[in-house]
Amino acid sequence: MNPFAFSCIMPHGGELVPELAGEDPQRMKVTRGAMERLGRMMEEGQPDTILVITPHGTGVDGRFAITDSERLVGVVEENGARYEMARTVDRVAAAEIVVEAKKANLPAASIHFGTSEGEGSVLPLDWGAIVPLRFMPDVPVVVVTPSKKTAPDELMRFGAVLRKTAEQATTKFGLIASCDWSHTHDESGPYGFSPQAKRVDEEVVRLVKANRLEAMRELDGDAVEEAKPDGLRQALVLAGAIPKGERRVDFLSYEVPTYFGMICAGFR
């Protein structure tokens, strides 16, 4: 039985935040609307804590980095505007995740900054967490950043660790895989253009719609290198947390309004 209140794949482009939409709020309207809908779905699940898997948080080489400060504070700036967020960390859940990861022989590390508790115990909250959390209930969080060197099977095994933690908890967890997809759709973008961006994103969309997240392990490595998605690790963690037989997918949207692809999908 799926132990999560609600789970989803969400993007993290800064312009998705309504306060940062700028002079062209229509540009990401489809995805923004889908994220609002995912937020309502999460609200209906009534989670006590939301776990966020992000590619842009504080990284620890070769390990899963798990927040263990009292608070997280961060800022996203876009279109000349500024959006700031602060969230409380569920330190009990964070500690349990680390314990279970080590039992599973997975490389995990709790991270903190400043003081171990009190006003100085604050870690930065990255845009990969801020953007999706803008649409979510204001509850405590745990942010996890997988190392870029983590193997696909370890990502799925870590998802199973999150699952076990959720099963043993007396509170309800939501789960967000914060994922942008191929970053080489537009020559004017920071990574240039590759025809592989369209091909990789089409395959990812097909797999998400078919509820076959695990198959992302089989994507062609050379194509992925050219397309430059940053959603694969987080999606595989979600796949490990909720096995296919327990997932029901609600695919909401895919669009490429700038140089990178964005998907919104819910899983119950």
Side-chain angles (χ1 to χ4, degrees):
M1 181 180 176
N2 182 351
F4 294 95
F6 182 68
S7 305
C8 56
I9 288 173
M10 300 178 76
H12 48 254
E15 204 169 308
L16 289 163
V17 174
E19 293 84 350
L20 305 179
E23 296 180 356
D24 188 8
Q26 300 299 309
R27 180 157 56 184
M28 296 187 179
K29 180 181 178 181
V30 171
T31 300
R32 192 179 298 114
M35 293 177 79
E36 290 170 351
R37 184 175 168 190
L38 289 172
R40 291 192 294 271
M41 291 177 178
M42 185 71 81
E43 185 76 52
E44 290 169 2
Q46 299 183 327
D48 300 294
T49 299
I50 296 177
L51 312 179
V52 185
I53 316 302
T54 172
H56 300 303
T58 303
V60 178
D61 195 30
R63 294 183 178 272
F64 293 92
I66 300 154
T67 54
D68 187 33
S69 59
E70 286 206 357
R71 294 184 300 130
L72 299 166
V73 177
V75 174
V76 179
E77 295 180 335
E78 194 87 33
N79 294 320
R82 174 185 174 92
Y83 180 78
E84 184 171 347
M85 176 179 285
R87 287 289 185 271
T88 300
V89 177
D90 184 339
R91 301 184 77 178
V92 173
E96 287 300 316
I97 291 169
V98 173
V99 168
E100 291 301 330
K102 291 182 177 180
K103 285 181 182 177
N105 293 316
L106 287 168
S110 59
I111 56 172
H112 57 86
F113 178 80
T115 59
S116 59
E117 58 185 22
E119 286 298 311
S121 180
V122 183
L123 274 166
L125 190 61
D126 70 285
W127 69 96
I130 292 174
V131 174
L133 286 174
R134 162 60 180 78
F135 299 86
M136 293 288 147
D138 186 0
V139 299
V141 302
V142 178
V143 176
V144 178
T145 305
S147 168
K148 294 181 179 179
K149 298 181 180 180
T150 309
D153 68 312
E154 287 188 325
L155 292 163
M156 292 194 61
R157 287 174 55 215
F158 184 79
V161 162
L162 297 184
R163 175 193 179 85
K164 187 171 183 180
T165 304
E167 289 174 333
Q168 295 175 344
T170 57
T171 56
K172 294 168 65 177
F173 293 163
L175 177 61
I176 298 173
S178 179
C179 306
D180 284 341
W181 298 95
S182 296
H183 281 59
T184 55
H185 283 279
D186 190 332
E187 184 64 46
S188 65
Y191 306 101
F193 172 79
S194 170
Q196 295 295 352
K198 183 175 185 292
R199 295 167 187 160
V200 169
D201 275 11
E202 285 179 346
E203 180 63 7
V204 169
V205 167
R206 185 183 71 82
L207 293 174
V208 175
K209 286 182 174 179
N211 202 12
R212 297 181 58 223
L213 302 183
E214 297 84 355
M216 290 187 194
R217 292 175 294 183
E218 301 163 14
L219 291 173
D220 179 80
D222 292 337
V224 167
E225 179 63 28
E226 287 194 33
K228 301 190 185 317
D230 73 355
L232 295 177
R233 293 189 301 279
Q234 302 85 263
L236 287 174
V237 171
L238 192 154
I242 312 172
K244 181 179 178 181
E246 298 179 7
R247 289 193 311 257
R248 180 170 61 83
V249 63
D250 189 354
F251 188 92
L252 301 186
S253 67
Y254 169 76
E255 67 171 344
V256 191
T258 58
Y259 63 91
F260 58 93
M262 299 185 292
I263 290 172
C264 287
F267 301 88
R268 313 191 211 210

